[in-house]
Amino acid sequence: DDGNDVDDDACSNACAPASCGDGKVQQGEDCDDGNADDTDACLATCKAASCGDMAVQAGVEACDDGNAVDTDACVAGCKAAKCGDSLVQM
């Protein structure tokens, strides 16, 4: 109990330690949606989803293998390789 009504500091208004997943954005967190779903805009690690984070964001990315290699099944920009994309898959 830190004796204040601030809900985004180290101690929540429920007198519980702040943590990733509590639904409140704390210092060091990009986001905190209170769930462990890695297919939405906020990862379970409280970091904003982005291409290259190895989590496929639903409706935004076709794949996400964490690299920018254009010769595998998931090319840069988190797009699936396909015939006609001018890239040669190995």
Side-chain angles (χ1 to χ4, degrees), residues 32-87:
D32 192 333
D33 59 5
N35 67 49
D37 182 5
D38 280 342
T39 65
D40 60 9
C42 185
L43 303 176
T45 58
C46 294
K47 298 295 176 193
S50 63
C51 181
D53 60 15
M54 298 182 61
V56 179
Q57 189 175 3
V60 178
E61 301 171 329
C63 56
D64 193 333
D65 61 3
N67 67 51
V69 176
D70 283 336
T71 57
D72 59 9
C74 186
V75 299
C78 295
K79 297 175 183 162
K82 63 182 178 186
C83 182
D85 63 7
S86 300
L87 302 170

Side-chain angles (χ1 to χ4, degrees), residues 3-58:
N4 67 44
D5 290 331
V6 178
D7 205 24
D8 62 355
D9 60 3
C11 184
S12 74
N13 288 342
C15 295
S19 63
C20 176
D22 61 9
K24 304 288 182 192
V25 179
Q26 309 294 330
Q27 186 174 4
E29 296 177 341
D30 294 335
C31 55
D32 192 333
D33 59 5
N35 67 49
D37 182 5
D38 280 342
T39 65
D40 60 9
C42 185
L43 303 176
T45 58
C46 294
K47 298 295 176 193
S50 63
C51 181
D53 60 15
M54 298 182 61
V56 179
Q57 189 175 3

